[in-house]
Amino acid sequence: EVQLVESGGGLVQPGGSLRLSCAASGFTFSSHWMHWVRQAPGKGLLWVSRINSDGSTTNYADSVKGRFTISRDNAKNTLYLQMNSLRAEDTAVYYCARAVTGWIDYWGQGTLVTVSS
Amino acid sequence: QSVLTQPPSASGTPGQRVTISCSGSSSNIGSDYVYWYQQLPGTAPKLLIYRNNQRPSGVPDRFSGSKSGTSASLAISGLRSEDEADYYCAAWDDSLGGWVFGGGTKLTVL
């Protein structure tokens, strides 16, 4: 069974940093592209970033480019999202998601990030 | 504003057929596949339709997808109370170099 378990969310002050982790199991992690997608409270889904299977290629939404960094450790079956210079508008539930042949097929349960003073 | 446009709400009675539209442009729906996700209250999204009209195993055939030009639609037939959820369309956008989602449609079963 595919499992994606996010962690690392919490309350952080504007301008602060946070690193999210996503522990994957139930599939061959190193064979899949992985994504981060976020959802602000009461709002819709917003794609944040993706990384290819070996970590050599990454893409970011314009709203986080230069502030967020996606990475992965295939030996640990773990996906990361380093978030710097956080803003109030980054407040959201952050979902880790697996991609197969180009699209997202499984999502984790999400971790809440709150940016507030 | 979302890159893909969906109606904010839709509704129907049990047994009815409802459709949810998703409008995009030549850089997303017009040039790539469309995907649909269902998000039940308080849960993570779940893949409902991939590559315009394909259903993952386990998704009932009451759910169907279609695409024409720069628009797509999700149809749900034989509406059931458990279908009450938010539905999102998604596609890759060549111009933006990333995935784009619709704003979501909240489906209410009356």
Side-chain angles (χ1 to χ4, degrees), chain A residues 35 37 39 43-45 47 50 59 95 101-105 107-109, chain B residues 35 37 39 43-47 50-51 88 92 96-99 101 103:
Chain A
H35 297 246
V37 179
Q39 186 171 33
K43 301 296 184 181
L45 302 170
W47 177 79
R50 70 171 185 172
N59 301 100
Y95 292 103
T101 324
W103 65 88
I104 293 173
D105 65 341
W107 303 64
Q109 287 306 301
Chain B
Y35 304 85
Y37 297 90
Q39 187 174 32
T43 70
K46 168 192 164 186
L47 179 64
Y50 66 96
R51 287 190 171 178
Y88 295 90
W92 178 262
L96 296 175
W99 272 66
F101 288 91

PDB file of all heavy atoms in Angstrom, chain A residues 35 37 39 43-45 47 50 59 95 101-105 107-109, chain B residues 35 37 39 43-47 50-51 88 92 96-99 101 103:
ATOM      1  N   HIS A  35       5.999  15.454  -5.835  1.00  0.00           N
ATOM      2  CA  HIS A  35       5.506  16.829  -5.846  1.00  0.00           C
ATOM      3  C   HIS A  35       5.165  17.305  -4.438  1.00  0.00           C
ATOM      4  O   HIS A  35       4.891  16.504  -3.548  1.00  0.00           O
ATOM      5  CB  HIS A  35       4.229  16.934  -6.682  1.00  0.00           C
ATOM      6  CG  HIS A  35       4.369  16.622  -8.133  1.00  0.00           C
ATOM      7  ND1 HIS A  35       4.202  17.568  -9.116  1.00  0.00           N
ATOM      8  CD2 HIS A  35       4.646  15.460  -8.771  1.00  0.00           C
ATOM      9  CE1 HIS A  35       4.362  17.001 -10.311  1.00  0.00           C
ATOM     10  NE2 HIS A  35       4.639  15.720 -10.123  1.00  0.00           N
ATOM     11  N   VAL A  37       2.217  20.047  -3.033  1.00  0.00           N
ATOM     12  CA  VAL A  37       1.046  20.852  -3.371  1.00  0.00           C
ATOM     13  C   VAL A  37       0.506  21.414  -2.062  1.00  0.00           C
ATOM     14  O   VAL A  37       0.487  20.706  -1.057  1.00  0.00           O
ATOM     15  CB  VAL A  37      -0.042  20.008  -4.074  1.00  0.00           C
ATOM     16  CG1 VAL A  37      -1.274  20.862  -4.394  1.00  0.00           C
ATOM     17  CG2 VAL A  37       0.507  19.371  -5.347  1.00  0.00           C
ATOM     18  N   GLN A  39      -2.521  23.859   0.179  1.00  0.00           N
ATOM     19  CA  GLN A  39      -3.916  24.285   0.210  1.00  0.00           C
ATOM     20  C   GLN A  39      -4.108  25.225   1.394  1.00  0.00           C
ATOM     21  O   GLN A  39      -4.066  24.793   2.547  1.00  0.00           O
ATOM     22  CB  GLN A  39      -4.844  23.076   0.326  1.00  0.00           C
ATOM     23  CG  GLN A  39      -6.308  23.403   0.227  1.00  0.00           C
ATOM     24  CD  GLN A  39      -7.178  22.164   0.116  1.00  0.00           C
ATOM     25  OE1 GLN A  39      -6.876  21.112   0.681  1.00  0.00           O
ATOM     26  NE2 GLN A  39      -8.271  22.261  -0.630  1.00  0.00           N
ATOM     27  N   LYS A  43      -9.312  27.197   0.954  1.00  0.00           N
ATOM     28  CA  LYS A  43      -9.028  27.532  -0.448  1.00  0.00           C
ATOM     29  C   LYS A  43      -8.749  26.280  -1.276  1.00  0.00           C
ATOM     30  O   LYS A  43      -8.816  25.159  -0.785  1.00  0.00           O
ATOM     31  CB  LYS A  43      -7.821  28.480  -0.514  1.00  0.00           C
ATOM     32  CG  LYS A  43      -8.011  29.778   0.259  1.00  0.00           C
ATOM     33  CD  LYS A  43      -9.121  30.621  -0.304  1.00  0.00           C
ATOM     34  CE  LYS A  43      -9.225  31.961   0.413  1.00  0.00           C
ATOM     35  NZ  LYS A  43     -10.341  32.789  -0.120  1.00  0.00           N
ATOM     36  N   GLY A  44      -8.412  26.509  -2.535  1.00  0.00           N
ATOM     37  CA  GLY A  44      -8.155  25.404  -3.444  1.00  0.00           C
ATOM     38  C   GLY A  44      -6.708  24.940  -3.426  1.00  0.00           C
ATOM     39  O   GLY A  44      -5.887  25.406  -2.633  1.00  0.00           O
ATOM     40  N   LEU A  45      -6.415  24.004  -4.310  1.00  0.00           N
ATOM     41  CA  LEU A  45      -5.085  23.413  -4.389  1.00  0.00           C
ATOM     42  C   LEU A  45      -4.150  24.290  -5.220  1.00  0.00           C
ATOM     43  O   LEU A  45      -4.565  24.861  -6.230  1.00  0.00           O
ATOM     44  CB  LEU A  45      -5.175  22.030  -5.034  1.00  0.00           C
ATOM     45  CG  LEU A  45      -6.089  21.025  -4.312  1.00  0.00           C
ATOM     46  CD1 LEU A  45      -6.295  19.787  -5.172  1.00  0.00           C
ATOM     47  CD2 LEU A  45      -5.511  20.655  -2.962  1.00  0.00           C
ATOM     48  N   TRP A  47      -0.190  24.030  -6.799  1.00  0.00           N
ATOM     49  CA  TRP A  47       1.048  23.260  -6.993  1.00  0.00           C
ATOM     50  C   TRP A  47       2.242  24.100  -6.567  1.00  0.00           C
ATOM     51  O   TRP A  47       2.317  25.298  -6.880  1.00  0.00           O
ATOM     52  CB  TRP A  47       1.167  22.865  -8.450  1.00  0.00           C
ATOM     53  CG  TRP A  47       2.425  22.141  -8.790  1.00  0.00           C
ATOM     54  CD1 TRP A  47       2.712  20.825  -8.566  1.00  0.00           C
ATOM     55  CD2 TRP A  47       3.588  22.694  -9.413  1.00  0.00           C
ATOM     56  NE1 TRP A  47       3.974  20.525  -9.015  1.00  0.00           N
ATOM     57  CE2 TRP A  47       4.536  21.660  -9.536  1.00  0.00           C
ATOM     58  CE3 TRP A  47       3.930  23.964  -9.874  1.00  0.00           C
ATOM     59  CZ2 TRP A  47       5.786  21.854 -10.113  1.00  0.00           C
ATOM     60  CZ3 TRP A  47       5.175  24.166 -10.445  1.00  0.00           C
ATOM     61  CH2 TRP A  47       6.086  23.114 -10.552  1.00  0.00           C
ATOM     62  N   ARG A  50       8.118  20.214  -7.924  1.00  0.00           N
ATOM     63  CA  ARG A  50       8.280  18.801  -8.250  1.00  0.00           C
ATOM     64  C   ARG A  50       9.759  18.503  -8.437  1.00  0.00           C
ATOM     65  O   ARG A  50      10.565  19.400  -8.719  1.00  0.00           O
ATOM     66  CB  ARG A  50       7.496  18.414  -9.504  1.00  0.00           C
ATOM     67  CG  ARG A  50       8.052  18.977 -10.792  1.00  0.00           C
ATOM     68  CD  ARG A  50       7.367  18.377 -12.018  1.00  0.00           C
ATOM     69  NE  ARG A  50       7.992  18.848 -13.260  1.00  0.00           N
ATOM     70  CZ  ARG A  50       7.698  18.375 -14.470  1.00  0.00           C
ATOM     71  NH1 ARG A  50       6.771  17.432 -14.597  1.00  0.00           N
ATOM     72  NH2 ARG A  50       8.299  18.846 -15.527  1.00  0.00           N
ATOM     73  N   ASN A  59      11.329  21.772 -10.485  1.00  0.00           N
ATOM     74  CA  ASN A  59      10.516  22.883 -10.980  1.00  0.00           C
ATOM     75  C   ASN A  59       9.779  23.500  -9.802  1.00  0.00           C
ATOM     76  O   ASN A  59       9.446  22.797  -8.841  1.00  0.00           O
ATOM     77  CB  ASN A  59       9.494  22.404 -12.017  1.00  0.00           C
ATOM     78  CG  ASN A  59      10.130  21.744 -13.218  1.00  0.00           C
ATOM     79  OD1 ASN A  59      10.173  20.519 -13.316  1.00  0.00           O
ATOM     80  ND2 ASN A  59      10.644  22.542 -14.139  1.00  0.00           N
ATOM     81  N   TYR A  95       0.847  19.186   1.064  1.00  0.00           N
ATOM     82  CA  TYR A  95       0.715  17.777   0.721  1.00  0.00           C
ATOM     83  C   TYR A  95       1.924  17.312  -0.083  1.00  0.00           C
ATOM     84  O   TYR A  95       2.349  17.990  -1.035  1.00  0.00           O
ATOM     85  CB  TYR A  95      -0.521  17.546  -0.136  1.00  0.00           C
ATOM     86  CG  TYR A  95      -1.846  17.766   0.549  1.00  0.00           C
ATOM     87  CD1 TYR A  95      -2.585  18.925   0.315  1.00  0.00           C
ATOM     88  CD2 TYR A  95      -2.389  16.812   1.412  1.00  0.00           C
ATOM     89  CE1 TYR A  95      -3.818  19.133   0.917  1.00  0.00           C
ATOM     90  CE2 TYR A  95      -3.612  17.001   2.022  1.00  0.00           C
ATOM     91  CZ  TYR A  95      -4.321  18.163   1.766  1.00  0.00           C
ATOM     92  OH  TYR A  95      -5.541  18.353   2.365  1.00  0.00           O
ATOM     93  N   THR A 101       3.981   8.308 -14.420  1.00  0.00           N
ATOM     94  CA  THR A 101       3.873   8.604 -15.852  1.00  0.00           C
ATOM     95  C   THR A 101       3.333  10.010 -16.109  1.00  0.00           C
ATOM     96  O   THR A 101       2.518  10.219 -17.012  1.00  0.00           O
ATOM     97  CB  THR A 101       2.983   7.548 -16.556  1.00  0.00           C
ATOM     98  OG1 THR A 101       3.188   6.271 -15.962  1.00  0.00           O
ATOM     99  CG2 THR A 101       3.357   7.464 -18.026  1.00  0.00           C
ATOM    100  N   GLY A 102       3.726  10.967 -15.278  1.00  0.00           N
ATOM    101  CA  GLY A 102       3.386  12.361 -15.555  1.00  0.00           C
ATOM    102  C   GLY A 102       2.304  12.982 -14.715  1.00  0.00           C
ATOM    103  O   GLY A 102       2.134  14.198 -14.753  1.00  0.00           O
ATOM    104  N   TRP A 103       1.540  12.205 -13.973  1.00  0.00           N
ATOM    105  CA  TRP A 103       0.486  12.841 -13.170  1.00  0.00           C
ATOM    106  C   TRP A 103       0.541  12.364 -11.732  1.00  0.00           C
ATOM    107  O   TRP A 103       1.077  11.325 -11.413  1.00  0.00           O
ATOM    108  CB  TRP A 103      -0.889  12.582 -13.778  1.00  0.00           C
ATOM    109  CG  TRP A 103      -1.328  11.157 -13.772  1.00  0.00           C
ATOM    110  CD1 TRP A 103      -2.005  10.484 -12.788  1.00  0.00           C
ATOM    111  CD2 TRP A 103      -1.101  10.201 -14.813  1.00  0.00           C
ATOM    112  NE1 TRP A 103      -2.215   9.179 -13.143  1.00  0.00           N
ATOM    113  CE2 TRP A 103      -1.667   8.976 -14.389  1.00  0.00           C
ATOM    114  CE3 TRP A 103      -0.486  10.251 -16.065  1.00  0.00           C
ATOM    115  CZ2 TRP A 103      -1.634   7.826 -15.171  1.00  0.00           C
ATOM    116  CZ3 TRP A 103      -0.455   9.111 -16.848  1.00  0.00           C
ATOM    117  CH2 TRP A 103      -1.020   7.917 -16.399  1.00  0.00           C
ATOM    118  N   ILE A 104      -0.085  13.166 -10.860  1.00  0.00           N
ATOM    119  CA  ILE A 104      -0.127  12.855  -9.432  1.00  0.00           C
ATOM    120  C   ILE A 104      -1.188  11.795  -9.190  1.00  0.00           C
ATOM    121  O   ILE A 104      -2.351  11.978  -9.575  1.00  0.00           O
ATOM    122  CB  ILE A 104      -0.430  14.114  -8.615  1.00  0.00           C
ATOM    123  CG1 ILE A 104       0.740  15.099  -8.702  1.00  0.00           C
ATOM    124  CG2 ILE A 104      -0.724  13.772  -7.165  1.00  0.00           C
ATOM    125  CD1 ILE A 104       0.465  16.457  -8.070  1.00  0.00           C
ATOM    126  N   ASP A 105      -0.775  10.675  -8.566  1.00  0.00           N
ATOM    127  CA  ASP A 105      -1.766   9.638  -8.323  1.00  0.00           C
ATOM    128  C   ASP A 105      -2.030   9.376  -6.840  1.00  0.00           C
ATOM    129  O   ASP A 105      -3.093   8.890  -6.496  1.00  0.00           O
ATOM    130  CB  ASP A 105      -1.398   8.327  -9.039  1.00  0.00           C
ATOM    131  CG  ASP A 105      -0.122   7.688  -8.515  1.00  0.00           C
ATOM    132  OD1 ASP A 105       0.682   8.377  -7.859  1.00  0.00           O
ATOM    133  OD2 ASP A 105       0.076   6.482  -8.778  1.00  0.00           O
ATOM    134  N   TRP A 107      -1.618  11.013  -2.728  1.00  0.00           N
ATOM    135  CA  TRP A 107      -1.352  12.168  -1.885  1.00  0.00           C
ATOM    136  C   TRP A 107      -1.171  11.718  -0.431  1.00  0.00           C
ATOM    137  O   TRP A 107      -1.827  10.785   0.020  1.00  0.00           O
ATOM    138  CB  TRP A 107      -2.526  13.148  -1.918  1.00  0.00           C
ATOM    139  CG  TRP A 107      -2.911  13.652  -3.266  1.00  0.00           C
ATOM    140  CD1 TRP A 107      -3.395  12.926  -4.319  1.00  0.00           C
ATOM    141  CD2 TRP A 107      -2.872  15.005  -3.711  1.00  0.00           C
ATOM    142  NE1 TRP A 107      -3.658  13.738  -5.387  1.00  0.00           N
ATOM    143  CE2 TRP A 107      -3.350  15.032  -5.047  1.00  0.00           C
ATOM    144  CE3 TRP A 107      -2.496  16.209  -3.112  1.00  0.00           C
ATOM    145  CZ2 TRP A 107      -3.446  16.212  -5.787  1.00  0.00           C
ATOM    146  CZ3 TRP A 107      -2.604  17.381  -3.848  1.00  0.00           C
ATOM    147  CH2 TRP A 107      -3.067  17.377  -5.163  1.00  0.00           C
ATOM    148  N   GLY A 108      -0.321  12.431   0.299  1.00  0.00           N
ATOM    149  CA  GLY A 108      -0.243  12.219   1.732  1.00  0.00           C
ATOM    150  C   GLY A 108      -1.386  12.941   2.409  1.00  0.00           C
ATOM    151  O   GLY A 108      -2.221  13.568   1.753  1.00  0.00           O
ATOM    152  N   GLN A 109      -1.428  12.867   3.722  1.00  0.00           N
ATOM    153  CA  GLN A 109      -2.492  13.503   4.484  1.00  0.00           C
ATOM    154  C   GLN A 109      -2.214  14.971   4.789  1.00  0.00           C
ATOM    155  O   GLN A 109      -3.113  15.693   5.236  1.00  0.00           O
ATOM    156  CB  GLN A 109      -2.736  12.746   5.791  1.00  0.00           C
ATOM    157  CG  GLN A 109      -3.439  11.420   5.584  1.00  0.00           C
ATOM    158  CD  GLN A 109      -4.726  11.581   4.798  1.00  0.00           C
ATOM    159  OE1 GLN A 109      -5.651  12.297   5.188  1.00  0.00           O
ATOM    160  NE2 GLN A 109      -4.824  10.912   3.640  1.00  0.00           N
TER     161      GLN A 109
ATOM    162  N   TYR B  35      -6.831  16.079 -15.592  1.00  0.00           N
ATOM    163  CA  TYR B  35      -6.963  15.161 -14.472  1.00  0.00           C
ATOM    164  C   TYR B  35      -8.004  15.723 -13.516  1.00  0.00           C
ATOM    165  O   TYR B  35      -8.177  16.942 -13.407  1.00  0.00           O
ATOM    166  CB  TYR B  35      -5.608  14.988 -13.762  1.00  0.00           C
ATOM    167  CG  TYR B  35      -4.532  14.537 -14.715  1.00  0.00           C
ATOM    168  CD1 TYR B  35      -3.818  15.458 -15.484  1.00  0.00           C
ATOM    169  CD2 TYR B  35      -4.267  13.179 -14.894  1.00  0.00           C
ATOM    170  CE1 TYR B  35      -2.862  15.036 -16.395  1.00  0.00           C
ATOM    171  CE2 TYR B  35      -3.320  12.760 -15.805  1.00  0.00           C
ATOM    172  CZ  TYR B  35      -2.626  13.695 -16.556  1.00  0.00           C
ATOM    173  OH  TYR B  35      -1.698  13.272 -17.477  1.00  0.00           O
ATOM    174  N   TYR B  37      -9.577  15.373  -9.452  1.00  0.00           N
ATOM    175  CA  TYR B  37      -9.363  14.892  -8.096  1.00  0.00           C
ATOM    176  C   TYR B  37     -10.592  15.174  -7.249  1.00  0.00           C
ATOM    177  O   TYR B  37     -11.251  16.222  -7.398  1.00  0.00           O
ATOM    178  CB  TYR B  37      -8.135  15.568  -7.467  1.00  0.00           C
ATOM    179  CG  TYR B  37      -6.856  15.249  -8.201  1.00  0.00           C
ATOM    180  CD1 TYR B  37      -6.420  16.049  -9.248  1.00  0.00           C
ATOM    181  CD2 TYR B  37      -6.103  14.126  -7.869  1.00  0.00           C
ATOM    182  CE1 TYR B  37      -5.264  15.741  -9.953  1.00  0.00           C
ATOM    183  CE2 TYR B  37      -4.945  13.811  -8.564  1.00  0.00           C
ATOM    184  CZ  TYR B  37      -4.542  14.626  -9.603  1.00  0.00           C
ATOM    185  OH  TYR B  37      -3.392  14.308 -10.299  1.00  0.00           O
ATOM    186  N   GLN B  39     -11.920  15.587  -3.322  1.00  0.00           N
ATOM    187  CA  GLN B  39     -11.466  15.807  -1.958  1.00  0.00           C
ATOM    188  C   GLN B  39     -12.676  15.779  -1.021  1.00  0.00           C
ATOM    189  O   GLN B  39     -13.468  16.725  -0.985  1.00  0.00           O
ATOM    190  CB  GLN B  39     -10.722  17.137  -1.813  1.00  0.00           C
ATOM    191  CG  GLN B  39     -10.094  17.322  -0.443  1.00  0.00           C
ATOM    192  CD  GLN B  39      -9.238  18.581  -0.347  1.00  0.00           C
ATOM    193  OE1 GLN B  39      -9.502  19.598  -0.979  1.00  0.00           O
ATOM    194  NE2 GLN B  39      -8.176  18.518   0.467  1.00  0.00           N
ATOM    195  N   THR B  43     -10.152  15.510   4.212  1.00  0.00           N
ATOM    196  CA  THR B  43      -9.219  14.481   3.756  1.00  0.00           C
ATOM    197  C   THR B  43      -8.347  14.999   2.617  1.00  0.00           C
ATOM    198  O   THR B  43      -8.567  16.088   2.096  1.00  0.00           O
ATOM    199  CB  THR B  43      -9.957  13.225   3.271  1.00  0.00           C
ATOM    200  OG1 THR B  43     -10.634  13.527   2.044  1.00  0.00           O
ATOM    201  CG2 THR B  43     -10.961  12.737   4.302  1.00  0.00           C
ATOM    202  N   ALA B  44      -7.352  14.205   2.244  1.00  0.00           N
ATOM    203  CA  ALA B  44      -6.485  14.563   1.137  1.00  0.00           C
ATOM    204  C   ALA B  44      -7.192  14.292  -0.192  1.00  0.00           C
ATOM    205  O   ALA B  44      -8.099  13.464  -0.267  1.00  0.00           O
ATOM    206  CB  ALA B  44      -5.202  13.736   1.211  1.00  0.00           C
ATOM    207  N   PRO B  45      -6.774  14.976  -1.241  1.00  0.00           N
ATOM    208  CA  PRO B  45      -7.355  14.695  -2.566  1.00  0.00           C
ATOM    209  C   PRO B  45      -7.090  13.251  -2.991  1.00  0.00           C
ATOM    210  O   PRO B  45      -6.117  12.621  -2.567  1.00  0.00           O
ATOM    211  CB  PRO B  45      -6.642  15.685  -3.484  1.00  0.00           C
ATOM    212  CG  PRO B  45      -6.174  16.781  -2.579  1.00  0.00           C
ATOM    213  CD  PRO B  45      -5.819  16.084  -1.296  1.00  0.00           C
ATOM    214  N   LYS B  46      -7.950  12.784  -3.872  1.00  0.00           N
ATOM    215  CA  LYS B  46      -7.842  11.428  -4.410  1.00  0.00           C
ATOM    216  C   LYS B  46      -8.018  11.515  -5.920  1.00  0.00           C
ATOM    217  O   LYS B  46      -8.893  12.233  -6.420  1.00  0.00           O
ATOM    218  CB  LYS B  46      -8.933  10.541  -3.807  1.00  0.00           C
ATOM    219  CG  LYS B  46      -9.113   9.196  -4.469  1.00  0.00           C
ATOM    220  CD  LYS B  46     -10.400   8.529  -3.982  1.00  0.00           C
ATOM    221  CE  LYS B  46     -10.828   7.379  -4.863  1.00  0.00           C
ATOM    222  NZ  LYS B  46     -12.137   6.821  -4.495  1.00  0.00           N
ATOM    223  N   LEU B  47      -7.177  10.779  -6.662  1.00  0.00           N
ATOM    224  CA  LEU B  47      -7.266  10.778  -8.119  1.00  0.00           C
ATOM    225  C   LEU B  47      -8.559  10.120  -8.564  1.00  0.00           C
ATOM    226  O   LEU B  47      -8.841   8.983  -8.189  1.00  0.00           O
ATOM    227  CB  LEU B  47      -6.061  10.048  -8.712  1.00  0.00           C
ATOM    228  CG  LEU B  47      -6.019   9.931 -10.236  1.00  0.00           C
ATOM    229  CD1 LEU B  47      -5.906  11.306 -10.888  1.00  0.00           C
ATOM    230  CD2 LEU B  47      -4.873   9.019 -10.663  1.00  0.00           C
ATOM    231  N   TYR B  50      -7.777  10.237 -14.884  1.00  0.00           N
ATOM    232  CA  TYR B  50      -6.488  10.619 -15.440  1.00  0.00           C
ATOM    233  C   TYR B  50      -6.536  10.545 -16.961  1.00  0.00           C
ATOM    234  O   TYR B  50      -7.370   9.844 -17.540  1.00  0.00           O
ATOM    235  CB  TYR B  50      -5.358   9.763 -14.868  1.00  0.00           C
ATOM    236  CG  TYR B  50      -5.392   8.299 -15.244  1.00  0.00           C
ATOM    237  CD1 TYR B  50      -4.647   7.813 -16.316  1.00  0.00           C
ATOM    238  CD2 TYR B  50      -6.170   7.382 -14.530  1.00  0.00           C
ATOM    239  CE1 TYR B  50      -4.666   6.478 -16.662  1.00  0.00           C
ATOM    240  CE2 TYR B  50      -6.195   6.043 -14.864  1.00  0.00           C
ATOM    241  CZ  TYR B  50      -5.449   5.594 -15.934  1.00  0.00           C
ATOM    242  OH  TYR B  50      -5.465   4.253 -16.273  1.00  0.00           O
ATOM    243  N   ARG B  51      -5.640  11.285 -17.602  1.00  0.00           N
ATOM    244  CA  ARG B  51      -5.588  11.339 -19.070  1.00  0.00           C
ATOM    245  C   ARG B  51      -6.966  11.541 -19.682  1.00  0.00           C
ATOM    246  O   ARG B  51      -7.400  10.761 -20.531  1.00  0.00           O
ATOM    247  CB  ARG B  51      -4.903  10.087 -19.623  1.00  0.00           C
ATOM    248  CG  ARG B  51      -3.410  10.116 -19.371  1.00  0.00           C
ATOM    249  CD  ARG B  51      -2.660   9.031 -20.089  1.00  0.00           C
ATOM    250  NE  ARG B  51      -1.233   9.227 -19.993  1.00  0.00           N
ATOM    251  CZ  ARG B  51      -0.308   8.420 -20.490  1.00  0.00           C
ATOM    252  NH1 ARG B  51      -0.697   7.319 -21.133  1.00  0.00           N
ATOM    253  NH2 ARG B  51       0.969   8.675 -20.348  1.00  0.00           N
ATOM    254  N   TYR B  88     -11.621  18.943  -8.179  1.00  0.00           N
ATOM    255  CA  TYR B  88     -10.624  19.811  -8.804  1.00  0.00           C
ATOM    256  C   TYR B  88     -10.161  19.235 -10.131  1.00  0.00           C
ATOM    257  O   TYR B  88      -9.866  18.038 -10.216  1.00  0.00           O
ATOM    258  CB  TYR B  88      -9.396  19.971  -7.910  1.00  0.00           C
ATOM    259  CG  TYR B  88      -9.653  20.691  -6.599  1.00  0.00           C
ATOM    260  CD1 TYR B  88     -10.030  19.986  -5.462  1.00  0.00           C
ATOM    261  CD2 TYR B  88      -9.507  22.079  -6.515  1.00  0.00           C
ATOM    262  CE1 TYR B  88     -10.265  20.649  -4.260  1.00  0.00           C
ATOM    263  CE2 TYR B  88      -9.736  22.742  -5.319  1.00  0.00           C
ATOM    264  CZ  TYR B  88     -10.114  22.025  -4.199  1.00  0.00           C
ATOM    265  OH  TYR B  88     -10.340  22.685  -3.016  1.00  0.00           O
ATOM    266  N   TRP B  92      -1.013  20.124 -16.798  1.00  0.00           N
ATOM    267  CA  TRP B  92       0.321  20.719 -16.887  1.00  0.00           C
ATOM    268  C   TRP B  92       0.214  21.953 -17.784  1.00  0.00           C
ATOM    269  O   TRP B  92      -0.451  21.918 -18.814  1.00  0.00           O
ATOM    270  CB  TRP B  92       1.326  19.727 -17.460  1.00  0.00           C
ATOM    271  CG  TRP B  92       2.686  20.319 -17.597  1.00  0.00           C
ATOM    272  CD1 TRP B  92       3.267  20.848 -18.717  1.00  0.00           C
ATOM    273  CD2 TRP B  92       3.652  20.482 -16.549  1.00  0.00           C
ATOM    274  NE1 TRP B  92       4.522  21.310 -18.425  1.00  0.00           N
ATOM    275  CE2 TRP B  92       4.789  21.105 -17.114  1.00  0.00           C
ATOM    276  CE3 TRP B  92       3.659  20.154 -15.189  1.00  0.00           C
ATOM    277  CZ2 TRP B  92       5.929  21.411 -16.361  1.00  0.00           C
ATOM    278  CZ3 TRP B  92       4.800  20.446 -14.440  1.00  0.00           C
ATOM    279  CH2 TRP B  92       5.917  21.067 -15.020  1.00  0.00           C
ATOM    280  N   LEU B  96       3.712  28.146 -17.991  1.00  0.00           N
ATOM    281  CA  LEU B  96       4.120  28.358 -16.604  1.00  0.00           C
ATOM    282  C   LEU B  96       5.173  27.347 -16.152  1.00  0.00           C
ATOM    283  O   LEU B  96       5.880  27.575 -15.174  1.00  0.00           O
ATOM    284  CB  LEU B  96       2.905  28.270 -15.682  1.00  0.00           C
ATOM    285  CG  LEU B  96       1.822  29.342 -15.883  1.00  0.00           C
ATOM    286  CD1 LEU B  96       0.617  29.072 -15.001  1.00  0.00           C
ATOM    287  CD2 LEU B  96       2.382  30.729 -15.610  1.00  0.00           C
ATOM    288  N   GLY B  97       5.261  26.227 -16.861  1.00  0.00           N
ATOM    289  CA  GLY B  97       6.220  25.197 -16.459  1.00  0.00           C
ATOM    290  C   GLY B  97       5.863  24.547 -15.151  1.00  0.00           C
ATOM    291  O   GLY B  97       6.750  24.221 -14.339  1.00  0.00           O
ATOM    292  N   GLY B  98       4.581  24.359 -14.929  1.00  0.00           N
ATOM    293  CA  GLY B  98       4.133  23.718 -13.696  1.00  0.00           C
ATOM    294  C   GLY B  98       2.706  23.244 -13.819  1.00  0.00           C
ATOM    295  O   GLY B  98       2.021  23.504 -14.809  1.00  0.00           O
ATOM    296  N   TRP B  99       2.288  22.522 -12.788  1.00  0.00           N
ATOM    297  CA  TRP B  99       0.900  22.063 -12.757  1.00  0.00           C
ATOM    298  C   TRP B  99      -0.015  23.223 -12.370  1.00  0.00           C
ATOM    299  O   TRP B  99       0.345  24.081 -11.557  1.00  0.00           O
ATOM    300  CB  TRP B  99       0.761  20.955 -11.706  1.00  0.00           C
ATOM    301  CG  TRP B  99       1.038  19.599 -12.253  1.00  0.00           C
ATOM    302  CD1 TRP B  99       2.233  19.126 -12.721  1.00  0.00           C
ATOM    303  CD2 TRP B  99       0.105  18.534 -12.392  1.00  0.00           C
ATOM    304  NE1 TRP B  99       2.088  17.828 -13.132  1.00  0.00           N
ATOM    305  CE2 TRP B  99       0.801  17.436 -12.949  1.00  0.00           C
ATOM    306  CE3 TRP B  99      -1.244  18.400 -12.081  1.00  0.00           C
ATOM    307  CZ2 TRP B  99       0.184  16.218 -13.221  1.00  0.00           C
ATOM    308  CZ3 TRP B  99      -1.854  17.171 -12.344  1.00  0.00           C
ATOM    309  CH2 TRP B  99      -1.154  16.112 -12.905  1.00  0.00           C
ATOM    310  N   PHE B 101      -4.215  24.032 -11.227  1.00  0.00           N
ATOM    311  CA  PHE B 101      -5.462  23.455 -10.765  1.00  0.00           C
ATOM    312  C   PHE B 101      -6.606  24.439 -10.992  1.00  0.00           C
ATOM    313  O   PHE B 101      -6.392  25.649 -11.064  1.00  0.00           O
ATOM    314  CB  PHE B 101      -5.393  23.156  -9.262  1.00  0.00           C
ATOM    315  CG  PHE B 101      -4.514  21.991  -8.899  1.00  0.00           C
ATOM    316  CD1 PHE B 101      -3.168  22.197  -8.615  1.00  0.00           C
ATOM    317  CD2 PHE B 101      -5.025  20.712  -8.823  1.00  0.00           C
ATOM    318  CE1 PHE B 101      -2.351  21.133  -8.268  1.00  0.00           C
ATOM    319  CE2 PHE B 101      -4.216  19.640  -8.478  1.00  0.00           C
ATOM    320  CZ  PHE B 101      -2.874  19.851  -8.206  1.00  0.00           C
ATOM    321  N   GLY B 103     -10.134  26.109  -9.429  1.00  0.00           N
ATOM    322  CA  GLY B 103     -10.421  26.606  -8.092  1.00  0.00           C
ATOM    323  C   GLY B 103     -11.241  25.662  -7.236  1.00  0.00           C
ATOM    324  O   GLY B 103     -11.408  25.878  -6.038  1.00  0.00           O
TER     325      GLY B 103
END
